[in-house]
Amino acid sequence: MTASVDTVLFDIDDTLCEYRRSGDELLALAFEACEVEPFFTVEDYYARYATFADRTDTITELRAECFAAIAADNDYDPALGYDLADAYTDERDHHNVRALPGAREAVATLSDDHRIGVVTNGPPEMQSDKLAALGLDDAFETVVHAGYDAPAKPDPEPFHRALSVLDGKPESAVHIGNSLSSDVAGAQAAGLQSVWLDDGSTPDPVPDHTLASMEDLANPPWRS
């Protein structure tokens, strides 16, 4: 029999909030500023995160190394990658985020009878700016910045680190996130129930619970 859930961990990006200006928009502006035709997508950039997360200390450094590597792979001077990263950074504002519908309410409601924390793939300064902009900077008992405080999700270590601080156990914890590859796979590898915010894709791996929106957490699926 599954233990009752007393601990809830949240992802941040595209779970609690989203940027008001998309990465696609910012990358297009960067290419325009550098007067070069686009030669990679924002998905190509995100795919390089894991390569450089352990080697860099800030999101600015991480982006610069990702862009330089992608430029080199496409037979451009890596210096162009650094210029593109600077232009992208000039346009990005980590405070310029909006809460997903129901996200703030879910955090407030679940904190009444659960220990709550965050496990996010992202640099501390960037993710702290987002939580502050949402008014959630003091809402969580712990925030683990996977890729910095611990290996990036889907490695189980960041989940276990959060549970250790919260005095929680995997069998009585859930993790809520939008990514099948990092949130669902990571939670399941760590022994937690996974709660997936459906993005319309075919789920693989299959989550333990699925949300149509964060508003569904008014009636948590692990209680049904």
Side-chain angles (χ1 to χ4, degrees):
M1 181 175 179
T2 303
S4 61
V5 172
D6 57 24
T7 306
V8 178
L9 304 179
F10 291 88
D11 176 46
I12 292 179
D13 296 297
D14 297 313
T15 299
L16 293 177
C17 68
E18 62 185 4
Y19 284 113
R20 296 180 189 276
R21 300 173 72 192
S22 71
D24 288 319
E25 179 182 356
L26 298 179
L27 186 57
L29 290 169
F31 279 120
E32 182 179 339
C34 292
E35 299 182 340
V36 61
E37 288 296 312
F39 59 87
F40 67 92
T41 68
V42 74
E43 287 76 21
D44 296 327
Y45 161 40
Y46 296 153
R48 292 299 184 98
Y49 263 41
T51 303
F52 297 101
D54 293 336
R55 310 183 201 176
T56 54
D57 295 323
T58 68
I59 185 60
T60 302
E61 293 175 14
L62 173 64
R63 183 181 301 119
E65 295 306 320
C66 289
F67 281 25
I70 294 170
D73 287 349
N74 285 275
D75 298 323
Y76 289 92
D77 188 331
L80 173 60
Y82 290 120
D83 289 343
L84 286 165
D86 286 343
Y88 188 109
T89 298
D90 287 344
E91 296 289 346
R92 172 57 86 205
D93 177 2
H94 299 302
H95 288 94
N96 193 16
V97 295
R98 55 178 164 239
L100 267 65
R104 288 195 187 95
E105 294 82 358
V107 171
T109 299
L110 292 174
S111 66
D112 288 340
D113 52 5
H114 298 78
R115 295 183 286 264
I116 63 171
V118 163
V119 177
T120 176
N121 279 355
E125 80 283 358
M126 178 177 79
Q127 303 302 67
S128 296
D129 283 350
K130 293 172 188 173
L131 291 178
L134 297 171
L136 297 176
D137 42 334
D138 294 321
F140 302 100
E141 297 169 65
T142 187
V143 177
V144 176
H145 300 93
Y148 294 83
D149 303 330
K153 297 180 290 185
D155 192 287
E157 185 177 333
F159 300 95
H160 291 158
R161 183 169 295 201
L163 292 179
S164 178
V165 173
L166 295 170
D167 196 26
K169 299 183 183 301
E171 60 268 23
S172 58
V174 300
H175 175 70
I176 301 167
N178 70 298
S179 171
L180 293 165
S181 60
S182 62
D183 293 309
V184 173
Q188 293 179 346
L192 288 73
Q193 293 182 56
S194 56
V195 183
W196 178 53
L197 183 58
D198 191 346
D199 63 2
S201 61
T202 301
D204 181 20
V206 177
D208 297 287
H209 309 283
T210 299
L211 306 174
S213 78
M214 293 294 279
E215 293 172 317
D216 289 353
L217 290 171
N219 296 296
W222 55 86
R223 288 178 177 163
S224 58

